[in-house]
Amino acid sequence: MAVSEESQHLLFHSHVAFRTASMPSEVCEVEERKRENIRSLSMCGHVGFESLPDQLVNRSIQQGFCFNILCVGETGIGKSTLINTLFNTNFEEHEASHFCPNVRLRAQTYELQESNVRLKLTIVNTVGFGDQINKEESYQPIVDYIDAQFEAYLQEELKIKRSLFNYHDSRIHVCLYFIAPTGHSLKTLDLLTMKNLDSKVNIIPVIAKADTISSELQKFKIKLMSELVCNGVQIYQFPTDDDTIAKINAAMNEQLPFAVVGSMDEVKVGNKMVKARQYPWGIVQVENENHCDFVKLREMLICTNMEDLQEQTHIRHYELYRRCKLEEMGFTDVGPENKPVSVQETYEAKRHELHGERQRKEEEMKQMFVQRVKEKEAILKEAERELQAKFEHLKRVHQEERLKLEERRRALEEEMIHFSKRKSSCDIFLNQSFMASGSNIKKDKDRKNPNFM
Amino acid sequence: MEPLRRPLSPCSSRPSSPRSPPCETSVSVGIEAVLDQLKIKAMKMGFEFNIMVVGQSGLGKSTMVNTLFKSKVWKSSLPGLATPTPQTLQLHSVTHVIEEKGVKLKLTVTDTPGFGDQINNDKCWDPILGYINEQYERYLQEEILITRQRHIPDTRVHCCVYFVPPTGHCLRPLDIEFLQRLCRTVNVVPVIARADSLTIEEREAFRSRIQEDLRNHCIDVYPQKCFDEDINDRILNSKIRERIPFAVVGADREHLVNGRCVLGRKTKWGIVEVENMAHCEFPLLRDLLIRSHLQDLKDITHNVHYENYRVVRLNESHLLPRGPGWVNLAPASTQQLTTPAPLKVRRRVQEDPKDEF
């Protein structure tokens, strides 16, 4: 009975499955998706989920956005000025000194607000880059800083009780690399630094102080790009997969690296006040596309691709870091016989290993403690024994003295008895002699006396 | 250029920052273009939504799903001779891709035929809990891989709609048991099914009794009070909480009323219009699930329920022997879960330090 019911039941299911053209969840997803694409559902009326992107946007507005920029370039090349100009705000920065012994990174966070969008902007500046006489270790602090941010995020992600949704993301989303406008080629330091950074962060190279080269700009750009390509440096390419922005991004990709000029001073040109740099021979307008690529940089960096930069950082660079780090720690996805090993198992094996080590160390400490206690006990026993010996010795001495004293007392007593005996015999002798030589009266007295005596 | 300056606290953790108030950018820099970027990306990637309907057979679950998404998600199961009631609780999932005005939604609906239909319904919630936890487990396994996918497919149940039969009295023991166990694992939205059998007064009385029952048994249904972020949320959600559970009627046939074509149930004494607020509260349910709180449902599933599951899982994994079942948050233990291979090394390693000395 049960069998037939079950088979009927199965029939019912497969029947239903065939007619609704959908598969139970256990079937692999690819087939499912194909089937979905062919037979997606059509609705007879307005359901209302086109508000979904708006719901998503509202949530993001509530949460706020986060963007971290790293500026790498020599001291005095115009990093702070460019950032000020980009965000149209005077971030408080004082001029950096040229005499730092090594490269330091200084990060500062600002909160910007534009209409209803809140942005937590973090600017990381390299202080002292390119100032040292020996520049071999210049790029290392930068790499270490970027790795430290990834590490912090990884630690938060691996925690058991974590709160990723209100975690302040400090990973660097974009690195603006400032190239000096020599007009010739990339400096060796630049090449070395970029090669070390390109797998860790999105690099956008910019030619700083571009108002010093104007006519040789195009040749310079071509030379720079060819050098980067020759040396295998991967700079950030603006994404061209989405139709709406593919064309403009592709065009911008051709214009890399952007030649920028930064300035917060306003100069009157025509009848407007514009941001510009005033020279005796002319005025370089920052926001004039003929003069420099500043507007393009602002467009690309903020208006069009901020979200993509964040996504690339998370999906590519962070994942790469995470993979390397976990593999370093000994985790693998596939075990020795090509059977999938779950991270869980390796994690636990590690955990037990560390647990065992901790127990061993505890034992060691216990042993040491016991040892020390024993030693102390031995010392104390020794002291006790010495004291005991002394005490015994003293007692013996005391005893001996007492015996001696006893003896002497006895001797003394004997002497006294002896002396008193002699004294009494002497007295008798004296009395007898007195009686013999004395009167009769005395004899009578003495006759009486011997009665008494 | 709005002068709205909200006093925001300075950032706490790295990198260190001087305490600076939010700067207003006077000329538009273009930061708000990031909202458009978000929208474009979201539309390209599409959305996912997984919903589960639970209730006894005959309460109109399939019809309700069809009405919600205005399409034949399920072939409406009219009782027939060829369809026996399932002997055990089976879970049946369907996935569809629907599109509206350029927004693609991958919808997965899980039905639970056979729930509460047996004579002995003890532990009938186990398969459901098992299914929900299995989805969490799947996501967790994907998340802890070394080489992860770009976009982890999200099969976790975002919302569970529980159909309460319209007895008019109060919640039954089965309902209370189920709701208690499930509200800690997933977002639960209870609804009064087939509400066209209750008059308005009966409906209100039933609703208040159910609300009292929920309070007495500490059942926290969606929208949960503790996750209200700010005052606006609280106001909005309180209005919703007053009306939970919604009294709904499902219908997938259209009728002509006053010259308009409406979805409704035709009876001898009139037509029950599904989308008429005076007749039933279906629009409220639809708005809650789809138009206003869909993203919120997903967020709470991801940030709260999934994280809770993860904490329990990672904490317990080294204590319990790995076997065919393991304990989840609800008191009942589930038996139908796939678990990784049992860890054999554990006991031995614990003995080792003692052996060494």
Side-chain angles (χ1 to χ4, degrees):
Chain A
M1 282 291 274
V3 173
S4 69
E5 268 183 315
E6 206 170 286
S7 61
Q8 241 183 351
H9 183 72
L10 281 170
L11 267 176
F12 164 70
H13 263 284
S14 58
H15 188 56
V16 170
F18 178 75
R19 283 176 60 191
T20 56
S22 58
M23 308 284 276
S25 52
E26 294 89 280
V27 181
C28 76
E29 294 225 290
V30 177
E31 275 180 274
E32 205 178 20
R33 227 172 273 138
K34 269 197 239 162
R35 242 169 256 261
E36 282 165 12
N37 283 336
I38 299 172
R39 288 174 191 175
S40 55
L41 218 46
S42 55
M43 302 170 305
C44 324
H46 175 69
V47 176
F49 58 84
E50 84 266 9
S51 65
L52 275 179
D54 294 317
Q55 290 182 31
L56 189 64
V57 162
N58 281 339
R59 183 199 61 164
S60 303
I61 290 181
Q62 251 188 350
Q63 269 185 334
F65 292 89
C66 194
F67 197 54
N68 308 320
I69 305 183
L70 169 70
C71 297
V72 181
E74 298 166 353
T75 318
I77 207 170
K79 306 188 284 286
S80 314
T81 317
L82 185 68
I83 297 292
N84 285 355
T85 324
L86 261 178
F87 291 98
N88 204 20
T89 329
N90 262 316
F91 300 116
E92 285 134 52
E93 293 269 356
H94 46 264
E95 285 182 7
S97 112
H98 283 260
F99 295 98
C100 302
N102 45 20
V103 177
R104 279 183 307 119
L105 280 100
R106 192 174 56 188
Q108 274 165 326
T109 311
Y110 307 95
E111 302 218 8
L112 301 178
Q113 182 159 346
E114 189 171 279
S115 62
N116 55 355
V117 178
R118 279 181 296 145
L119 179 70
K120 259 198 200 128
L121 180 71
T122 304
I123 315 276
V124 186
N125 249 318
T126 50
V127 177
F129 188 76
D131 274 338
Q132 294 81 32
I133 297 189
N134 180 2
K135 298 184 210 158
E136 269 178 9
E137 291 301 307
S138 294
Y139 67 85
Q140 198 57 46
I142 306 178
V143 170
D144 290 341
Y145 180 83
I146 296 177
D147 279 345
Q149 308 314 309
F150 282 149
E151 183 63 32
Y153 192 86
L154 183 65
Q155 287 304 319
E156 181 67 29
E157 204 189 18
L158 287 180
K159 266 197 213 164
I160 294 192
K161 276 212 173 82
R162 60 188 191 183
S163 57
L164 276 179
F165 56 91
N166 55 12
Y167 174 77
H168 173 59
D169 191 5
S170 59
R171 300 174 292 182
I172 302 290
H173 298 131
V174 69
C175 168
L176 287 178
Y177 198 94
F178 289 74
I179 300 176
T182 57
H184 297 309
S185 60
L186 269 181
K187 295 192 186 162
T188 333
L189 174 63
D190 292 340
L191 205 53
L192 185 64
T193 312
M194 276 206 259
K195 261 209 89 73
N196 276 299
L197 288 180
D198 68 351
S199 58
K200 294 195 180 286
V201 74
N202 302 314
I203 300 185
I204 297 184
V206 291
I207 302 174
K209 298 198 173 177
D211 49 349
T212 47
I213 42 166
S214 172
S215 50
E216 308 95 25
L217 186 60
Q218 211 44 41
K219 269 200 284 188
F220 188 38
K221 278 193 188 181
I222 295 176
K223 186 92 205 315
L224 285 177
M225 287 308 282
S226 66
E227 266 194 38
L228 288 173
V229 165
C230 275
N231 286 288
V233 174
Q234 299 218 349
I235 58 173
Y236 176 73
Q237 296 291 317
F238 302 116
T240 48
D241 45 3
D242 185 38
D243 299 323
T244 49
I245 52 175
K247 258 203 309 215
I248 185 167
N249 274 349
M252 291 301 172
N253 275 331
E254 300 294 313
Q255 305 260 350
L256 279 173
F258 294 130
V260 291
V261 175
S263 167
M264 286 300 281
D265 303 324
E266 303 218 332
V267 175
K268 198 171 172 79
V269 171
N271 51 1
K272 290 193 299 172
M273 295 294 282
V274 293
K275 288 210 267 290
R277 286 177 64 79
Q278 186 157 42
Y279 291 107
W281 48 87
I283 299 177
V284 181
Q285 293 163 37
V286 167
E287 285 174 346
N288 187 332
E289 294 217 32
N290 291 328
H291 290 196
C292 73
D293 297 330
F294 172 80
V295 176
K296 295 197 186 90
L297 175 68
R298 186 173 62 191
E299 269 278 320
M300 285 292 105
L301 189 64
I302 301 175
C303 307
T304 321
N305 294 308
M306 201 195 292
E307 185 58 37
D308 186 67
L309 284 165
Q310 290 181 347
E311 202 180 317
Q312 289 298 313
T313 310
H314 183 68
I315 292 182
R316 258 202 5 220
H317 302 293
Y318 171 70
E319 286 295 315
L320 182 65
Y321 175 82
R322 178 178 176 273
R323 189 163 57 231
C324 295
K325 195 72 200 297
L326 289 180
E327 275 173 7
E328 230 178 89
M329 297 206 313
F331 292 106
T332 45
D333 275 339
V334 179
E337 293 124 36
N338 263 0
K339 275 196 285 214
V341 172
S342 80
V343 175
Q344 202 62 5
E345 285 190 4
T346 347
Y347 179 74
E348 283 192 27
K350 259 243 144 128
R351 194 197 193 130
H352 286 289
E353 196 186 305
L354 291 171
H355 190 66
E357 219 181 283
R358 189 185 79 170
Q359 280 195 330
R360 196 171 46 80
K361 284 217 170 104
E362 269 181 30
E363 276 297 320
E364 252 182 57
M365 278 178 67
K366 261 196 214 149
Q367 292 294 330
M368 226 164 59
F369 179 70
V370 165
Q371 187 79 5
R372 287 238 183 96
V373 164
K374 277 205 187 117
E375 280 177 18
K376 239 333 173 356
E377 258 186 38
I379 291 176
L380 283 172
K381 273 215 177 90
E382 190 61 43
E384 201 185 328
R385 235 180 307 137
E386 270 181 31
L387 272 174
Q388 193 79 353
K390 259 202 198 150
F391 178 67
E392 295 279 312
H393 178 70
L394 275 173
K395 212 159 94 171
R396 242 182 300 128
V397 164
H398 182 70
Q399 202 80 315
E400 276 174 19
E401 295 237 324
R402 211 199 300 165
L403 280 171
K404 272 197 208 146
L405 280 171
E406 281 285 334
E407 265 191 47
R408 282 174 68 181
R409 193 177 71 170
R410 239 183 293 129
L412 190 63
E413 275 186 8
E414 271 181 23
E415 256 191 62
M416 272 173 67
I417 293 175
H418 193 65
F419 179 69
S420 59
K421 270 196 195 151
R422 276 179 62 186
K423 184 171 164 202
S424 59
S425 65
C426 258
D427 276 340
I428 293 172
F429 185 67
L430 265 173
N431 282 335
Q432 278 181 348
S433 65
F434 192 67
M435 262 170 43
S437 64
S439 60
N440 294 336
I441 304 160
K442 280 212 179 158
K443 253 195 201 167
D444 291 319
K445 278 189 187 168
D446 284 335
R447 269 192 221 134
K448 286 181 196 166
N449 278 339
N451 296 332
F452 285 116
M453 287 173 68
Chain B
M1 199 164 72
E2 280 94 316
L4 182 67
R5 189 184 281 254
R6 263 189 264 173
L8 297 162
S9 57
C11 320
S12 43
S13 52
R14 333 139 281 279
S16 62
S17 66
R19 206 196 162 110
S20 46
C23 315
E24 261 291 319
T25 54
S26 46
V27 174
S28 138
V29 168
I31 299 178
E32 45 177 6
V34 74
L35 298 179
D36 293 323
Q37 297 171 32
L38 260 185
K39 262 196 213 164
I40 293 176
K41 188 176 78 156
M43 308 259 286
K44 197 170 72 158
M45 229 171 40
F47 294 86
E48 285 170 316
F49 190 53
N50 308 320
I51 187 174
M52 180 188 267
V53 283
V54 183
Q56 286 175 303
S57 43
L59 283 181
K61 305 190 293 288
S62 318
T63 320
M64 176 55 61
V65 172
N66 285 353
T67 323
L68 264 176
F69 295 100
K70 292 235 172 57
S71 40
K72 291 264 188 279
V73 179
W74 301 97
K75 202 72 180 161
S76 56
S77 49
L78 293 166
L81 294 169
T83 64
T85 44
Q87 290 302 315
T88 53
L89 177 57
Q90 306 272 342
L91 280 120
H92 189 59
S93 276
V94 195
T95 308
H96 292 285
V97 172
I98 42 183
E99 183 170 336
E100 191 172 77
K101 293 202 182 143
V103 178
K104 284 195 280 279
L105 176 67
K106 184 167 154 207
L107 175 73
T108 305
V109 183
T110 309
D111 195 4
T112 55
F115 177 78
D117 283 337
Q118 280 81 47
I119 303 224
N120 180 7
N121 285 314
D122 196 22
K123 298 214 193 313
C124 64
W125 45 81
D126 274 356
I128 299 179
L129 278 177
Y131 176 82
I132 295 176
N133 284 321
E134 188 188 323
Q135 308 313 309
Y136 287 148
E137 179 68 27
R138 219 183 270 190
Y139 194 88
L140 180 66
Q141 290 300 327
E142 285 286 333
E143 203 191 21
I144 59 180
L145 279 181
I146 305 282
T147 352
R148 302 199 278 209
Q149 291 179 33
R150 202 161 255 246
H151 177 65
I152 303 178
D154 192 0
T155 51
R156 303 171 290 188
V157 176
H158 299 132
C159 177
C160 175
V161 184
Y162 186 74
F163 286 74
V164 176
T167 58
H169 297 169
C170 58
L171 286 179
R172 301 164 303 157
L174 174 65
D175 300 332
I176 293 178
E177 274 297 318
F178 183 83
L179 286 171
Q180 264 182 331
R181 281 158 208 280
L182 243 71
C183 67
R184 282 175 275 164
T185 323
V186 74
N187 298 319
V188 179
V189 179
V191 293
I192 302 175
R194 286 190 180 266
D196 50 346
S197 60
L198 297 171
T199 64
I200 304 284
E201 296 82 21
E202 286 169 356
R203 195 194 288 174
E204 292 303 318
F206 191 29
R207 194 203 315 275
S208 52
R209 265 190 290 250
I210 292 184
Q211 283 177 350
E212 200 184 308
D213 273 339
L214 293 177
R215 261 195 306 270
N216 289 341
H217 290 95
C218 304
I219 299 173
D220 207 9
V221 297
Y222 185 83
Q224 293 96 338
K225 215 174 268 190
C226 40
F227 300 133
D228 285 340
E229 304 229 331
D230 55 16
I231 190 75
N232 296 330
D233 275 350
R234 211 168 300 147
I235 295 176
L236 185 66
N237 287 345
S238 314
K239 287 208 199 102
I240 297 174
R241 277 190 280 264
E242 275 169 37
R243 314 291 294 161
I244 290 241
F246 300 129
V248 293
V249 176
D252 45 7
R253 299 243 179 91
E254 293 198 341
H255 304 275
L256 216 56
V257 171
N258 294 341
R260 287 177 304 131
C261 222
V262 290
L263 280 175
R265 283 172 65 78
K266 188 160 181 188
T267 61
K268 289 201 183 111
W269 41 90
I271 296 184
V272 184
E273 289 169 47
V274 164
E275 288 185 337
N276 189 338
M277 270 303 290
H279 291 198
C280 80
E281 291 168 350
F282 171 78
L284 287 179
L285 178 68
R286 181 199 53 205
D287 288 345
L288 178 74
L289 283 186
I290 301 176
R291 293 195 187 167
S292 54
H293 284 74
L294 200 152
Q295 189 62 40
D296 192 43
L297 283 164
K298 287 170 69 168
D299 286 340
I300 293 193
T301 309
H302 181 66
N303 292 332
V304 177
H305 296 297
Y306 170 69
E307 289 294 319
N308 283 341
Y309 174 82
R310 186 176 170 275
V311 167
V312 169
R313 191 85 173 84
L314 292 185
N315 267 333
E316 284 182 346
S317 55
H318 72 282
L319 289 177
L320 291 179
R322 295 276 194 84
W326 43 271
V327 177
N328 58 14
L329 288 178
S333 68
T334 55
Q335 297 297 322
Q336 288 125 306
L337 295 156
T338 55
T339 55
L343 188 63
K344 301 159 284 228
V345 211
R346 201 184 50 263
R347 288 281 144 83
R348 266 192 287 130
V349 175
Q350 272 179 3
E351 313 269 333
D352 264 353
K354 294 192 191 130
D355 290 341
E356 277 182 54
F357 290 98

